[in-house]
């Protein structure tokens, strides 16, 4: 969400609202509460909302809405991959606004921004392994893989080698220090993105296991949504959108042209049907001008059929494996 004064503008709010059909009396899970922009609008339109956020700051800030909503809103501090555990009632809709919020980026002490000097942290839940620990202790070849895949950084190896050389003399502890070191290494033209952008994205995604969380959340949504319920997901970069796209394509029914596959497995009744003809919509030009964060946003919405949930097999996402975060637990900065 983009900050404007004291308000955050939910990306593609009108399109999300339109895609959810009837909101009056509906039960909606807002799986990424953030500053509550979506939740407030759902409540205003007569819905009952369960908000989820792993960030304790967001949960604390949501208490005022709990009071003002008069029984139609509750907030739960948990991972959105656990959304099927927060209620025993099948919801009418689930909404996910994936990625980091501007609330987190705006706070230098959270360590998400290369433009604001702060501790090299990046933990959305304020728990677990920090980005500093990863930068200072992960093998340089593994760092390069993370930068290349999760950040789509073409200079991944050069940056990883620089980090390895520098950390032997002095560890990285501040966002400004890491950003400055990358900027010194990689030349870039004015008007192009800062050379640290993709590295910071990769670190944030890795530290918070964002792609794994998204994949698990999709399976959880499939399990808990009622028939005809809707799953709406707003993504902001190609890695996220690829996962959502593959999920909806897979759940729309498998078509196999292999002569070796038994006829009974050649097709499966769909678990989801896309709301949009092309599967995805993007913001209008006016919204992008009004809200810069919307420029890379994509919205995909699926309608749950009455078919039983399929096996939650992450192989459909073709995600690479990385060094486990658990291997860095207990390691100092």
């Amino acid at each position: 969400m983009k900050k404007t004064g004291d308000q955050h503008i939910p990306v593609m709010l009108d399109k999300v609202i339109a895609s959810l059909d009837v909101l009056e009396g509906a039960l909606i899970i807002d799986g990424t509460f953030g500053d509550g922009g979506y939740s407030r609008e759902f409540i205003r339109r007569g819905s009952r909302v369960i908000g989820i956020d792993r960030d304790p700051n967001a949960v604390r800030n949501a208490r005022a809405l709990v009071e003002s909503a008069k029984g139609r809103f509750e907030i739960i501090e948990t991972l959105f991959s656990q959304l099927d555990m927060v209620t025993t009632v099948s919801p009418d809709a689930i909404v996910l606004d994936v990625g980091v919020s501007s609330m987190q980026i705006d706070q230098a002490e959270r360590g998400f921004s290369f433009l604001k000097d702060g501790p090299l942290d990046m933990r959305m839940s304020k728990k677990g392994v920090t980005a500093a620990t990863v930068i200072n202790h992960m093998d340089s070849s593994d760092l390069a893989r993370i930068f290349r895949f999760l950040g789509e950084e073409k200079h991944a190896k050069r940056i990883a080698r620089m980090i390895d050389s520098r950390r032997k003399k002095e560890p990285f502890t501040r966002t400004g220090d890491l950003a400055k070191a990358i900027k010194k290494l990689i030349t870039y033209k004015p008007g192009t993105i800062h050379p640290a952008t993709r590295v910071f994205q990769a670190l944030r995604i890795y530290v918070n296991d964002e792609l794994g969380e998204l994949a698990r959340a999709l399976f959880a949504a499939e399990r808990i949504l009622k028939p005809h319920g809707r799953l709406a997901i707003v993504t902001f970069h190609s890695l996220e959108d690829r996962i959502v796209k593959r999920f909806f394509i897979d759940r729309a029914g498998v078509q196999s042209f292999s002569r070796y596959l038994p006829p009974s497995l050649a097709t499966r009744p769909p678990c989801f049907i896309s709301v949009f003809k092309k599967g995805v919509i993007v913001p209008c030009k006016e919204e992008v001008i009004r809200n810069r964060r919307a420029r890379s946003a994509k919205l995909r919405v699926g309608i749950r059929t009455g078919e039983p949930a399929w096996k939650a097999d992450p192989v459909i996402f073709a995600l690479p494996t990385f060094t486990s975060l658990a291997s860095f637990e207990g390691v100092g900065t």
Side-chain angles (χ1 to χ4, degrees):
M1 298 174 185
K2 182 182 177 182
K3 191 171 183 179
T4 305
D6 292 325
Q7 298 297 317
H8 291 255
I9 305 173
V11 172
M12 300 179 76
L13 175 60
D14 292 345
K15 290 181 172 60
V16 169
I17 293 295
S19 72
L20 295 185
D21 199 21
V22 179
L23 294 180
E24 181 70 34
L27 172 61
I28 300 177
I29 295 179
D30 183 351
T32 47
F33 177 77
D35 192 46
Y38 290 108
S39 287
R40 288 185 180 88
E41 185 62 19
F42 298 152
I43 292 168
R44 190 183 74 79
R45 291 172 179 260
S47 301
R48 183 163 67 89
V49 180
I50 299 174
I52 296 174
D53 208 296
R54 68 162 90 178
D55 188 335
N57 288 2
V59 173
R60 183 176 61 251
N61 294 338
R63 291 172 184 166
L65 183 57
V66 173
E67 295 179 5
S68 65
K70 299 179 180 180
R72 290 197 292 121
F73 175 73
E74 62 179 303
I75 185 71
I76 298 173
E77 183 178 340
T78 190
L79 301 168
F80 69 12
S81 61
Q82 302 297 311
L83 60 84
D84 60 334
M85 306 294 288
V86 300
T87 178
T88 57
V89 179
S90 294
D92 298 281
I94 296 171
V95 177
L96 305 176
D97 174 2
V98 185
V100 67
S101 76
S102 61
M103 288 174 57
Q104 294 163 329
I105 293 175
D106 289 344
Q107 299 169 349
E109 67 273 15
R110 300 299 299 274
F112 287 100
S113 176
F114 53 82
L115 297 176
K116 298 174 185 248
D117 184 52
L120 195 53
D121 192 321
M122 299 192 187
R123 297 171 300 171
M124 291 180 178
S125 65
K126 296 187 176 183
K127 301 173 184 176
V129 177
T130 67
T133 296
V134 174
I135 280 291
N136 292 315
H137 295 281
M138 178 175 277
D139 183 84
S140 61
S141 62
D142 289 336
L143 275 179
R145 287 190 71 239
I146 287 173
F147 298 160
R148 185 171 59 252
F149 183 82
L150 299 182
E152 299 177 313
E153 172 55 64
K154 64 181 180 180
H155 300 293
K157 288 185 178 180
R158 286 183 62 199
I159 295 172
R161 285 196 297 265
M162 177 276 292
I163 289 172
D164 188 42
S165 176
R166 156 56 206 279
R167 69 189 180 184
K168 292 174 182 177
K169 305 170 186 176
E170 180 183 2
F172 289 93
T173 61
R174 310 285 297 181
T175 57
D177 185 20
L178 178 59
K180 183 178 179 180
I182 296 172
K183 184 177 178 181
K184 184 178 179 180
L185 177 70
I186 306 298
T187 57
Y188 73 111
K189 298 178 181 179
T192 59
I193 67 169
H194 192 288
T197 301
R198 294 188 176 94
V199 169
F200 271 64
Q201 171 185 296
L203 281 172
R204 189 202 79 223
I205 292 173
Y206 175 73
V207 165
N208 296 288
D209 187 23
E210 292 180 31
L211 300 188
E213 273 296 296
L214 175 57
R216 291 186 288 274
L218 294 172
F219 292 137
E222 178 183 13
R223 289 192 294 268
I224 196 173
L225 265 175
K226 66 169 52 175
H228 309 297
R230 302 197 177 199
L231 173 59
I233 305 150
V234 179
T235 60
F236 294 91
H237 62 71
S238 60
L239 297 177
E240 297 166 345
D241 183 61
R242 195 177 306 151
I243 289 173
V244 178
K245 179 180 179 180
R246 286 179 176 176
F247 174 78
F248 279 136
I249 288 176
D250 182 73
R251 266 37 186 180
V254 173
Q255 295 290 331
S256 174
F257 299 98
S258 172
R259 60 181 177 176
Y260 303 106
L261 189 65
S264 61
L265 297 180
T267 61
R268 290 182 290 182
C271 283
F272 280 96
I273 299 171
S274 178
V275 168
F276 308 125
K277 185 175 181 180
K278 295 184 177 180
V280 63
I281 59 173
V282 297
C284 63
K285 293 181 180 179
E286 291 76 13
E287 179 172 3
V288 174
I289 293 172
R290 185 173 65 250
N291 186 355
R292 189 169 179 270
R293 184 176 181 246
R295 69 192 186 280
S296 58
K298 292 183 178 180
L299 171 64
R300 296 181 185 273
V301 183
I303 302 174
R304 187 70 170 87
T305 69
E307 292 296 318
W310 297 356
K311 180 182 178 182
D313 190 351
V315 72
I316 66 173
F317 303 118
L319 294 175
T321 56
F322 299 106
T323 301
S324 171
L325 274 170
S327 63
F328 300 106
E329 292 180 359
V331 177
T333 301

